[in-house]
Amino acid sequence: MSRLARHHARCECDPGTLDSPWKAELCAVLHARDDAEQCRRLDDFLEAQMLEVRRVLARVKRVARLEWDDDDLVLSYFGQALLRMVNQRWRAKDGPGTSPVFNYSSNLPMILEAETRSCIRDDRRLGLLDGTVGVPGGGAQDRKGAHVAKSRQLYEIEHGRAAADAELVDFHNDRMRATRKDAARQAVLISRDDLRPARVVLLDGASAEVEGRIAVPAVSEVGSLNWADRIEAVICRCRRLDREREACRARRLKRAPVLLVDVARAYFADHEIGEFPTRRELLERLGITEPAARREFSVRLREVLDVARDLFADYRRAH
């Protein structure tokens, strides 16, 4: 069977990438007609490539310093990374099929390995890994909170919306039973009561009247929200500028345009740990190879930085 024959009939992948690992299987996933077919093709991909996937995840565990027997955990992160790339980066934004980022990508195992490590880093920063959620001590309640937070995140990725309490309880408990021999004995199953955030009230003069004033936020509410909000504001403004530019475009490009919002997301992906990519790293992440697209990328990157300077102007003056 030829290389092209293993791809979807409407394949737009660059000819030089047709035979690269996982390309044909994921090309079929991205051309799926509906969610049911996508899920089926993803299952087929994982079943056929599990040996290679586990080799990739062995490196992930080593680099991320996970426990040697954390196979279920790291496979869960790989699934999260795969769904993120399929739904947010590789699927065409203006219809069925694939994006230029996917079409020109030639090393999908390395890309998914890096994205899996990124998911693990995100959870570590937020205290959702290694029992770091909540008060110091890493007790059973901390670990349960970490598992629940992870289930909430996975539900939102899988369904594209936040989970209601009953939905989260069912989803979390099903996930725990599927990945543990005795979930009940390990005290990881939850009820609706476990979703009520713990609050701290001072003992002196504690009463219903003052409880609202002196309560502290739940763990999930703590964090550098102002910084994250401003990054989101940068992305929202870039998205609006993209729409305005597209509405004013006199003629259609023969290639996919470089979008401000994609450049902004890639640039600020690791901002929480103070890491910002170089121009070369951004080009690789976005899969930009054509000379005209590279020139447009340079313009868009300057525009993104201008937007960021504007929205962070008062922060820069204060610091």
Side-chain angles (χ1 to χ4, degrees), residues 169-275:
V169 168
D170 292 341
F171 180 84
H172 172 82
N173 289 342
D174 288 345
R175 175 173 165 255
M176 292 298 102
R177 292 188 182 102
T179 57
R180 284 162 172 74
K181 291 182 179 179
D182 192 344
R185 185 174 181 181
Q186 293 175 352
V188 293
L189 301 181
I190 62 170
S191 66
R192 289 195 186 190
D193 291 340
D194 294 306
L195 301 180
R196 296 172 184 168
R199 301 280 177 171
V200 176
V201 178
L202 299 178
L203 293 179
D204 291 338
S207 68
E209 181 180 353
V210 298
E211 183 175 349
R213 279 192 298 110
I214 61 180
V216 300
V219 172
S220 61
E221 299 169 349
V222 176
S224 53
L225 296 180
N226 188 45
W227 178 271
D229 287 346
R230 289 180 186 231
I231 296 297
E232 185 60 30
V234 171
I235 291 172
C236 288
R237 181 177 293 186
C238 288
R239 186 183 297 112
R240 176 170 56 79
L241 292 172
D242 282 333
R243 286 198 298 265
E244 293 174 357
R245 178 177 291 110
E246 187 62 26
C248 296
R249 193 183 299 279
R251 59 185 179 85
R252 303 289 296 180
L253 294 177
K254 293 182 179 179
R255 58 174 173 80
V258 179
L259 299 178
L260 284 170
V261 67
D262 289 341
V263 176
R265 284 187 180 127
Y267 185 80
F268 290 108
D270 295 320
H271 71 88
E272 290 181 348
I273 57 174
E275 291 184 1

Side-chain angles (χ1 to χ4, degrees), residues 141-165:
Q141 191 61 34
D142 294 332
R143 290 191 295 273
K144 181 184 285 189
H147 293 318
V148 172
K150 187 64 184 176
S151 292
R152 189 188 303 276
Q153 183 183 36
L154 291 173
Y155 185 96
E156 291 179 2
I157 291 172
E158 204 169 301
H159 295 85
R161 61 178 177 83
D165 286 354

Side-chain angles (χ1 to χ4, degrees), residues 93-114:
K93 295 180 174 62
D94 56 353
T98 57
S99 72
V101 171
F102 178 82
N103 294 338
Y104 289 97
S105 295
S106 60
N107 196 337
L108 299 182
M110 186 178 73
I111 292 172
L112 285 169
E113 178 183 339

Side-chain angles (χ1 to χ4, degrees), residues 22 31 38 47 50 54 77 96-97 131 272 316:
W22 302 353
H31 282 281
Q38 175 181 308
E47 183 178 354
M50 185 52 70
R54 291 199 180 279
Y77 278 111
E272 290 181 348
R316 293 166 65 201

Side-chain angles (χ1 to χ4, degrees), residues 113-168:
E113 178 183 339
E115 190 68 20
T116 302
R117 293 204 306 267
S118 176
C119 292
I120 292 172
R121 283 199 308 272
D122 289 345
D123 276 8
R124 275 216 169 104
R125 286 197 300 267
L126 296 173
L128 303 181
L129 192 62
D130 300 334
T132 54
V133 162
V135 297
Q141 191 61 34
D142 294 332
R143 290 191 295 273
K144 181 184 285 189
H147 293 318
V148 172
K150 187 64 184 176
S151 292
R152 189 188 303 276
Q153 183 183 36
L154 291 173
Y155 185 96
E156 291 179 2
I157 291 172
E158 204 169 301
H159 295 85
R161 61 178 177 83
D165 286 354
E167 292 171 330
L168 179 59

